[in-house]
Amino acid sequence: MLQRLFLIFVGVYLAGATCWVLWSARVRDNGSTIQLLNAACDPTRELWREINTRFAEHMQRDRGETVAIRQSHGGSSSQARAVIDGLDADVVTLALWSDTNAIHKAGLIEESWEDHLPNRSLPFVSTIVFVVRKGNPKGIKDWPDLAKPDVKVITPNPKTSGNGKWSLLAAYGSVILRGGSEADAEQFLEKLFGSVPVLDTSARAATMTFSQKKIGDVHLTWENEAFLEVAEAKGELEIIRPAISVLAEPHVAVVTANARRKGTFAAAEAYMRFTYTPEAQDLIAKHHYRPTDPEAWERHKDEFGTLEMFDVAKLTPGMNNPGDIWAELNRRFFSEGALFDSIYTRLHGGGKAK
Amino acid sequence: MQNDSAAVAPAADGNSAVDLASFQPRSQARKDPRWVRYLLVGTTYLVIGLLVAVPLAHVFFQAFSAGVGAYFQKLLGDKDTLHAIFLTLMVSPVAVAMNVVFGIAAAWAIARFEFPGRALLVSLIDLPMSISPVVAGLVFMLVLGLQSSLGQWLREHGWQIIFAPPGLVLATAFITFPLVARELVPLLEAEGADEEMAALSLGANGWAMFWRVTLPNLRWGLLYGIILCNARAMGEFGAVHVVSGRISGQTDTLPLRVEKLFQEYDIQGAFAAASVLTLVAILTLIGKSLLERKVHQG
Amino acid sequence: MRTITRRVLPGFGLTLGLSVTYLSLLVLIPLTACVVKSLDLTLEEFMRAAWSPRARAAYWLTFECALIAALINIVLGLVVSWTLVRYKFPFKTLIDALVDVPLALPTAVTGLVYASLYVKGGWLGQFLTPLGIEVAYTKLGIVLVLIFTGFPFVVRSVQPVLAELDSDEEEAAAVMGSSRWHTFRHVIFPHLLPPLLSGFTLAFARGVGEYGSVVFISSNMPFKTEIAAVLIVSRLEEFAYREAAAVAVVMLGFSFVLLVLISLAERWSQPHAK
């Protein structure tokens, strides 16, 4: 009778679902298909989608191996946290050195990882530019314009997002490198963050806030993200390049502990090395990241505007290796109680928020 | 002069046990002045309209704003969205089933027996209702992630719980934990043990009594609790946001997929996925009102 | 007799054992782990993490918004349950069904829709923004979304009690010349106080914990529009597990207090239940 049939159906369904859940609790070797997980920072979604397809074709054609790559995206520091917590990534393609290094410090990436891949593990670099509304009504041309009282700035939270950190460093550096003192730079940052109406957790969220929700007058973002945003906006937005900005270096790395444990090390290596091939470098340029291969750069450099990019090492004079540089940058700007925290507390006060 | 009253179970978590058709002020004494009536009814329309009806309409409007064809394309043509639907359909029922087994067991123990600590058990069951979903996710992160020795042991032995469907099931089960039990306890208490005692005295053993007497009596209340639990489980966002790892095509449930699509500029896609969830919610409500009548006639 | 000694009905050991085991595994042990993790911090560190100005601002915002929303829900819930019980009007059944929508609708969908509706160019935002009323990304938006999620609790608490109210008292009052308002205030309302309180507490508890809908509509700015749940997620994403656990423990403490209040309120509102 109908009720009995229904109960049987439910029973079978539940049994099936439970089996599936239990089955997915095992890390398994997928037979012939190699499964790779790329834990990436937020704005690189479109880039990796294309590279992954090409890489899979390449592996199939040249090595006869079937590779399936999955992506996880989120704020750079969030993703680092997830990998440390157990997200079983084979490679990480995050936004800055210290996030990748945090994974190394947790024992998941091997020593001297930076030297493991060409060009200090940088298949591409980028920078921070401005996106403004059509016609640039507030006349924003360079960093000092961001401190104007009627200008609202959109940038993600430096605590969670690579974009956020790079924006802060770029803003700070813009003052220092033009001869300003630390006090001047701090004041500038305070004015800047005082005009941020919404603090999103990741780059893409900030992009949505600026372009979809139409909040803010200027958006500080990755150059590649800016291109994408402007294209999606169909004429409503434009890119403004300040004269000077930070050289943003998003390192890539194989998560050696995970890859070796899962037996995917060779494939993961091949995956990362693939990003340096001319084919991939062209894709990288197509998505508006600056390729690091000199020949590729020659081919594409006209697609990028000119601006002077400074290395963050300039903000920590006297230090040479990235470990020291980033430790100092974190200590000064991003850690608990450092500059960003104290600016925020000064701006919004200790005590009751009203 | 007296009100007709349908049997009423006064639970404050969503039961509407009122037979709407029969309550009218019978006498002049209970009639409110006309302007009061108009004001209140008007306010009701306004409140429900603005709060509920407009948002519901908006979901479907946005979802279909690119046309019906595009709508189905977004849902059925997108591999990751299909997987998200599949994942939600796997994770939620399992979590609900776990809570049903527990709910029945707990209701039986609480409703039929006196024992020290009974009041404590009742309070503890209610605990997840007042905990933020994010805290629920955090808590499982701490226990099962690589931060803990248990998490490391699991990883070494090839188990993945966090950042994989089992973790999603656990977080979802935690959040929806009290929903079935809370339905069943008052029901069992109201039913009384007479029929069960009768069955026992006629020679039935425990299981026979359970299957043939207890469960049929609970039938509608159980179904009701399952529906509520399922709706909450399918819609859970906060807890799974923390434990999911957000791997597209692998650990994105449908609510997470909505967020992801929104962030990838795919407004229609996000609303299309949201419309599926909204449809589930509407079906839940229909099921709920159909069952309500059964529960309170039962 | 509602409870029978275990010697008569079977299954006590099995059901109690199953319940306690499941409860421990799913709820108690994870919660304890959270508390233990936060104990990793020294008292001073704990205070700094869980009681920093930013955290206090978050708690304050969370409770303030949840409180305002729950209070508004008392009024709205009372109005709606009154009309649903006492009056006949078109679409009444539909309205009654719609009351439950917030309970069934996923929080992410709520957040997405409300953000979309109230943003500058949105269906409703386009009318409000010229009036200077900003809803999206402000505290007002948070309160609005919490009103939505807490709404059914009050209505569904009050409705059954209102429906079951004896008409004798009202009629007596009318006979004695009491005005309608007077009758309401002194005869009817006292009966409604317990379910109102019960519904209020449930709505409040739900509002305090709500994450999914708020995170879409809030600008999540520390000290201004960051609710406690968002703070916890933020700390998590900064690798600060113990600090996140510390804030979570404080929230758990509040939850526990709320829980006690809820059970007291429920017991008061159903004096005839066992």
Side-chain angles (χ1 to χ4, degrees):
Chain A
M1 129 195 106
L2 211 59
Q3 206 172 42
R4 185 137 295 178
L5 273 179
F6 180 71
L7 284 176
I8 293 180
F9 168 75
V10 169
V12 168
Y13 182 95
L14 278 178
T18 314
C19 285
W20 184 85
V21 170
L22 289 174
W23 174 85
S24 60
R26 292 292 298 165
V27 180
R28 56 181 39 77
D29 183 351
N30 273 330
S32 55
T33 310
I34 306 175
Q35 289 264 12
L36 292 178
L37 174 61
N38 177 351
C41 63
D42 210 23
T44 53
R45 298 170 197 231
E46 292 78 14
L47 172 70
W48 289 113
R49 209 172 289 155
E50 257 203 276
I51 292 187
N52 292 353
T53 320
R54 295 290 187 89
F55 176 66
E57 285 167 15
H58 162 84
M59 286 291 267
Q60 188 64 53
R61 202 180 42 223
D62 300 343
R63 296 205 206 175
E65 287 177 349
T66 324
V67 176
I69 307 185
R70 292 210 182 283
Q71 291 291 130
S72 170
H73 287 277
S76 178
S77 307
S78 314
Q79 292 292 74
R81 188 267 306 177
V83 173
I84 295 174
D85 259 337
L87 183 61
D88 216 356
D90 301 277
V91 303
V92 286
T93 56
L94 303 176
L96 61 181
W97 188 91
S98 57
D99 286 333
T100 315
N101 204 50
I103 303 179
H104 155 71
K105 283 208 282 221
L108 295 169
I109 299 182
E110 64 194 2
E111 194 64 42
S112 334
W113 55 269
E114 207 187 319
D115 304 318
H116 199 72
L117 290 167
N119 201 26
R120 290 167 50 229
S121 291
L122 288 168
F124 52 86
V125 295
S126 190
T127 184
I128 298 289
V129 300
F130 305 164
V131 180
V132 299
R133 309 274 170 212
K134 180 170 69 174
N136 198 359
K138 300 266 170 120
I140 297 167
K141 291 274 185 286
D142 204 345
W143 292 100
D145 295 329
L146 299 179
K148 289 203 286 211
D150 62 330
V151 169
K152 294 225 172 302
V153 181
I154 298 292
T155 174
N157 190 340
K159 292 264 196 172
T160 51
S161 160
N163 179 348
K165 290 193 169 75
W166 289 117
S167 299
L168 187 149
L169 292 172
Y172 188 84
S174 73
V175 176
I176 299 280
L177 289 173
R178 283 169 168 165
S181 68
E182 279 188 19
D184 294 333
E186 282 182 27
Q187 243 188 16
F188 178 61
L189 282 185
E190 196 168 328
K191 286 218 194 84
L192 186 86
F193 282 103
S195 10
V196 175
V198 180
L199 210 57
D200 294 288
T201 44
S202 68
R204 188 50 64 88
T207 305
M208 300 314 293
T209 300
F210 186 75
S211 63
Q212 295 296 320
K213 300 173 186 167
K214 303 197 178 18
I215 298 184
D217 301 302
V218 57
H219 179 198
L220 301 179
T221 185
W222 296 94
E223 186 177 36
N224 48 277
E225 182 76 353
F227 271 102
L228 187 61
E229 190 180 354
V230 168
E232 290 282 337
K234 304 191 182 18
E236 287 300 312
L237 300 174
E238 23 182 283
I239 299 184
I240 301 284
R241 281 193 183 75
I244 185 175
S245 190
V246 71
L247 172 66
E249 297 181 323
H251 299 266
V252 303
V254 174
V255 185
T256 29
N258 292 351
R260 286 199 203 280
R261 180 176 32 89
K262 291 197 283 178
T264 53
F265 188 76
E269 272 273 293
Y271 179 37
M272 290 292 94
R273 284 188 188 275
F274 179 72
T275 61
Y276 292 90
T277 60
E279 190 184 352
Q281 291 278 302
D282 282 339
L283 277 180
I284 284 170
K286 176 179 162 199
H287 286 272
H288 313 291
Y289 297 81
R290 295 173 179 238
T292 48
D293 174 56
E295 287 171 11
W297 178 243
E298 269 311 302
R299 282 199 296 277
H300 295 282
K301 66 179 181 200
D302 296 326
E303 299 160 25
F304 297 90
T306 37
L307 54 84
E308 183 194 330
M309 296 191 287
F310 68 87
D311 194 311
V312 283
K314 296 233 172 86
L315 297 179
T316 54
M319 300 189 185
N320 280 332
N321 76 63
D324 296 333
I325 296 174
W326 281 101
E328 174 63 15
L329 290 174
N330 275 320
R331 187 193 66 80
R332 227 197 291 167
F333 298 107
F334 305 119
S335 327
E336 185 65 16
L339 189 60
F340 179 71
D341 273 343
S342 63
I343 285 181
Y344 233 84
T345 317
R346 263 206 301 278
L347 283 174
H348 301 287
K352 301 183 180 168
K354 263 302 164 231
Chain B
M1 203 192 56
Q2 284 296 43
N3 302 340
D4 301 344
S5 41
V8 166
D13 59 349
N15 290 353
S16 155
V18 177
D19 182 0
L20 290 176
S22 66
F23 287 104
Q24 291 304 313
R26 302 267 166 147
S27 57
Q28 201 54 34
R30 307 183 81 216
K31 241 190 164 71
D32 296 324
R34 177 175 285 195
W35 67 270
V36 170
R37 288 209 309 276
Y38 280 174
L39 179 66
L40 293 183
V41 173
T43 312
T44 303
Y45 279 135
L46 195 66
V47 167
I48 299 284
L50 269 184
L51 225 46
V52 179
V54 166
L56 281 184
H58 190 70
V59 170
F60 291 105
F61 182 83
Q62 286 281 32
F64 285 98
S65 59
V68 177
Y71 175 77
F72 283 106
Q73 171 63 21
K74 292 281 175 205
L75 279 183
L76 304 175
D78 188 325
K79 213 164 33 102
D80 288 342
T81 302
L82 277 179
H83 181 90
I85 295 178
F86 171 74
L87 186 63
T88 303
L89 287 176
M90 290 285 114
V91 165
S92 299
V94 175
V96 170
M98 283 164 54
N99 284 333
V100 163
V101 170
F102 163 77
I104 295 178
W108 182 257
I110 291 174
R112 293 281 181 260
F113 304 105
E114 277 286 356
F115 52 90
R118 187 172 167 276
L120 183 62
L121 184 60
V122 173
S123 310
L124 285 177
I125 290 181
D126 270 344
L127 193 55
M129 292 217 82
S130 50
I131 294 183
S132 174
V134 161
V135 174
L138 165 66
V139 149
F140 281 105
M141 232 17 212
L142 291 177
V143 169
L144 296 168
L146 280 185
Q147 291 290 307
S148 74
S149 23
L150 175 60
Q152 287 179 354
W153 184 90
L154 287 170
R155 166 66 74 87
E156 271 158 46
H157 289 81
W159 291 97
Q160 53 185 16
I161 310 280
I162 289 283
F163 301 129
L168 299 175
V169 169
L170 286 176
T172 310
F174 182 102
I175 297 291
T176 54
F177 181 77
L179 291 174
V180 177
R182 273 175 72 105
E183 281 305 311
L184 292 180
V185 169
L187 217 54
L188 262 186
E189 289 183 342
E191 286 284 337
D194 302 343
E195 292 189 22
E196 283 136 8
M197 299 272 273
L200 285 176
S201 66
L202 288 174
N205 69 19
W207 286 111
M209 174 203 74
F210 179 72
W211 286 110
R212 288 174 189 277
V213 179
T214 315
L215 220 44
N217 278 338
L218 283 184
R219 188 174 33 183
W220 301 116
L222 189 57
L223 205 47
Y224 190 86
I226 290 177
I227 292 191
L228 284 183
C229 193
N230 185 56
R232 186 86 176 84
M234 285 193 168
E236 178 48 37
F237 180 78
V240 297
H241 186 82
V242 174
V243 301
S244 115
R246 286 164 269 159
I247 306 173
S248 274
Q250 213 169 307
T251 59
D252 267 348
T253 59
L254 202 50
L256 292 174
R257 184 85 190 126
V258 168
E259 187 194 27
K260 185 160 285 186
L261 284 168
F262 184 70
Q263 288 183 336
E264 288 183 5
Y265 296 103
D266 195 353
I267 307 295
Q268 271 88 50
F271 273 101
S275 70
V276 173
L277 289 169
T278 310
L279 221 55
V280 169
I282 292 177
L283 287 173
T284 304
L285 292 179
I286 293 178
K288 188 170 184 274
S289 38
L290 288 176
L291 279 174
E292 239 153 27
R293 249 162 268 160
K294 287 267 167 63
V295 174
H296 300 294
Q297 287 163 5
Chain C
M1 263 199 305
R2 113 198 107 87
T3 54
I4 320 273
T5 63
R6 58 196 81 163
R7 277 172 262 134
V8 181
L9 282 177
F12 177 70
L14 176 65
T15 55
L16 188 64
L18 189 60
S19 315
V20 172
T21 311
Y22 187 72
L23 177 69
S24 310
L25 283 181
L26 191 66
V27 178
L28 293 180
I29 293 181
L31 285 178
T32 322
C34 182
V35 177
V36 165
K37 187 74 180 183
S38 70
L39 292 178
D40 257 359
L41 301 167
T42 66
L43 184 62
E44 197 198 318
E45 288 173 325
F46 184 91
M47 290 306 283
R48 221 167 351 122
W51 212 248
S52 67
R54 181 178 173 197
R56 275 184 277 134
Y59 302 140
W60 180 257
L61 181 76
T62 308
F63 283 97
E64 184 188 3
C65 290
L67 187 66
I68 294 177
L71 287 174
I72 292 181
N73 270 329
I74 289 185
V75 174
L76 295 184
L78 191 56
V79 167
V80 173
S81 42
W82 184 269
T83 60
L84 283 174
V85 172
R86 292 291 177 102
Y87 304 149
K88 224 178 169 138
F89 52 91
F91 301 118
K92 182 168 167 177
T93 342
L94 179 63
I95 300 273
D96 187 61
L98 286 179
V99 167
D100 278 327
V101 166
L103 285 178
L105 196 67
T107 54
V109 177
T110 306
L112 182 67
V113 170
Y114 268 76
S116 177
L117 278 175
Y118 286 96
V119 109
K120 240 188 285 193
W123 279 11
L124 295 173
Q126 59 189 344
F127 301 116
L128 293 174
T129 318
L131 297 174
I133 305 176
E134 297 279 344
V135 175
Y137 311 113
T138 61
K139 220 155 70 165
L140 184 54
I142 299 180
V143 172
L144 190 61
V145 137
L146 292 183
I147 292 177
F148 177 86
T149 44
F151 181 69
F153 293 110
V154 178
V155 176
R156 297 313 190 201
S157 292
V158 173
Q159 236 179 332
V161 174
L162 197 54
E164 237 190 318
L165 226 41
D166 212 345
S167 60
D168 294 349
E169 290 183 10
E170 273 183 79
E171 309 222 341
V175 162
M176 288 194 278
S178 156
S179 76
R180 199 73 191 122
W181 171 249
H182 199 259
T183 312
F184 175 77
R185 212 168 149 261
H186 294 283
V187 175
I188 301 177
F189 190 73
H191 290 293
L192 298 181
L193 212 45
L196 271 179
L197 193 60
S198 171
F200 167 82
T201 325
L202 282 171
F204 182 61
R206 179 69 193 262
V208 163
E210 183 64 21
Y211 175 77
S213 40
V214 176
V215 87
F216 274 86
I217 204 164
S218 163
S219 56
N220 302 314
M221 293 184 55
F223 292 103
K224 274 173 63 179
T225 49
E226 187 183 46
I227 56 169
V230 171
L231 173 62
I232 293 177
V233 173
S234 190
R235 290 335 304 273
L236 265 185
E237 301 199 333
E238 296 165 23
F239 310 100
Y241 302 101
R242 300 173 310 164
E243 288 76 0
V247 177
V249 163
V250 172
M251 291 303 287
L252 282 174
F254 286 132
S255 301
F256 188 69
V257 170
L258 273 178
L259 190 66
V260 171
L261 289 177
I262 290 179
S263 18
L264 286 178
E266 282 195 331
R267 211 172 307 153
W268 185 33
S269 84
Q270 294 153 36
H272 50 278
K274 303 87 182 178

